[in-house]
Amino acid sequence: MRSFTDEEREIIKRKIIDRGKDCFARYGIKKTGIEDLTEGLGIAKSSFYSFFNSKEDLFLQIFKEEQEALKDSILENSFLKYRTEPDKAIRAYLRHVLQIVDNHPIWKKIFIENEHLELTISRFSEEEIQNIRRDNVAIILPFFEEWATNGLLIDKPARILAETTQAVLFLIHFKKEIIDDDFSEIMDILIDLLANNIVKKGDRAPGRSLRE
C-alpha cells in the first residue's frame, strides 16, 4: 500500500465521504460494502482502512457532518425564532426535526429505518452514538436554562426538561411499526402535551432574550 501525501489524503477522504453519502442513502449500512465505498475512487479496498476504521465509523462521520450542517437551520426555525416563548419553540423544534427526518436520506436511515442498530457492532461506534445524543441535548440546553432563569418553565431542572424534549424524538425509531396517519397524530399529541405542560401556568415572566 503506497503512502499518500497530506493533500492526497484530504482529497481521497472527502471523496470517500461523498461516496458514502450516496451508498448509505441508497443501500444502508448493512448492505454497503467496502468495495462500494472505494469503487471508482482509484484506491484499493485495503486503503479504505487508512482513512476510516470501519464503514460504521464512516457513517458516523457523515451523520455528524450532516447534523452540524442542519443545526443552524433547526435552531433558527425554533429556539431562536421563539426565544421568549418556550411552548412555541419546543413545538417548532420537534416538528422541524420530524420534517427533516422524513426528507433527509441519512437521518431517515438512522431514525426511521433503524440503521443505528448496525452502529452498535463496535464499542467505539456505540460510544459515539451516546456522544451524539449528549450533543443533541447540549445544543438546546442553553435555551432551557435561560427560560428557567426567567421563570418561564415548571419547577424541574432545565437539563431534565431538555432531555425530555429530546426524548420525544426517540419515538421516531418506531415509526415503521405504526400506521402512518396514527404516527403523525401520536406525535402531534405528544408534542402538544409537552409544550403545554413544560411552561409555567399563569402570568409569564417577561423573559430575557439569549444574547445574539
Side-chain angles (χ1 to χ4, degrees):
M1 183 190 305
R2 80 174 183 86
S3 60
F4 300 102
T5 66
D6 290 342
E7 184 179 0
E8 287 176 327
R9 286 188 62 82
E10 190 60 33
I11 292 171
I12 293 171
K13 184 175 183 179
R14 179 45 53 184
K15 286 182 177 179
I16 293 173
I17 290 172
D18 290 340
R19 178 75 178 162
K21 289 179 182 180
D22 180 61
C23 289
F24 291 137
R26 288 171 180 248
Y27 314 123
I29 299 172
K30 188 173 184 179
K31 294 182 179 179
T32 294
I34 301 301
E35 62 273 15
D36 297 314
L37 297 169
T38 57
E39 183 180 2
L41 300 186
I43 61 171
K45 285 171 54 178
S46 57
S47 296
F48 172 87
Y49 296 102
S50 68
F51 297 92
F52 296 96
N53 294 324
S54 66
K55 64 180 181 179
E56 291 80 23
D57 292 336
L58 170 61
F59 186 93
L60 283 168
Q61 170 77 22
I62 291 170
F63 180 79
K64 286 188 286 186
E65 284 191 6
E66 295 298 299
Q67 181 186 46
E68 186 64 26
L70 291 165
K71 181 177 71 174
D72 288 345
S73 171
I74 291 172
L75 293 180
E76 286 170 6
N77 284 281
S78 57
F79 292 103
L80 292 174
K81 186 175 182 179
Y82 303 106
R83 295 173 79 156
T84 58
E85 300 175 279
D87 51 339
K88 290 183 179 180
I90 290 167
R91 283 188 176 90
Y93 170 71
L94 293 173
R95 286 173 177 152
H96 193 65
V97 172
L98 286 172
Q99 184 181 32
I100 290 174
V101 170
D102 278 335
N103 294 283
H104 193 287
I106 297 298
W107 281 38
K108 184 181 290 186
K109 291 293 180 186
I110 282 281
F111 291 104
I112 297 178
E113 299 180 24
N114 290 329
E115 290 284 324
H116 68 290
L117 298 177
E118 296 295 332
L119 296 175
T120 60
I121 291 173
S122 71
R123 182 183 174 194
F124 176 76
S125 295
E126 192 168 4
E127 289 174 354
E128 281 293 296
I129 293 172
Q130 293 299 324
N131 288 336
I132 288 171
R133 289 172 178 164
R134 283 191 287 268
D135 289 346
N136 286 338
V137 174
I139 289 169
I140 66 176
L141 180 57
F143 298 93
F144 285 84
E145 291 174 336
E146 186 72 21
W147 292 332
T149 298
N150 291 337
L152 298 175
L153 302 180
I154 59 174
D155 189 20
K156 296 289 183 182
R159 177 182 57 81
I160 295 297
L161 298 179
E163 289 177 343
T164 300
T165 298
Q166 196 64 35
V168 171
L169 296 173
F170 291 166
L171 188 62
I172 301 173
H173 291 309
F174 302 97
K175 183 174 181 178
K176 291 177 68 176
E177 302 171 22
I178 302 172
I179 298 173
D180 283 345
D181 290 344
D182 289 351
F183 179 80
S184 297
E185 189 168 352
I186 288 168
M187 292 305 295
D188 282 342
I189 291 171
L190 286 175
I191 291 170
D192 283 339
L193 282 172
L194 177 65
N196 289 336
N197 289 282
I198 208 170
V199 177
K200 185 174 290 186
K201 305 299 182 184
D203 295 335
R204 297 182 182 181
R208 182 179 73 250
S209 295
L210 291 167
R211 281 191 282 178
E212 299 287 351

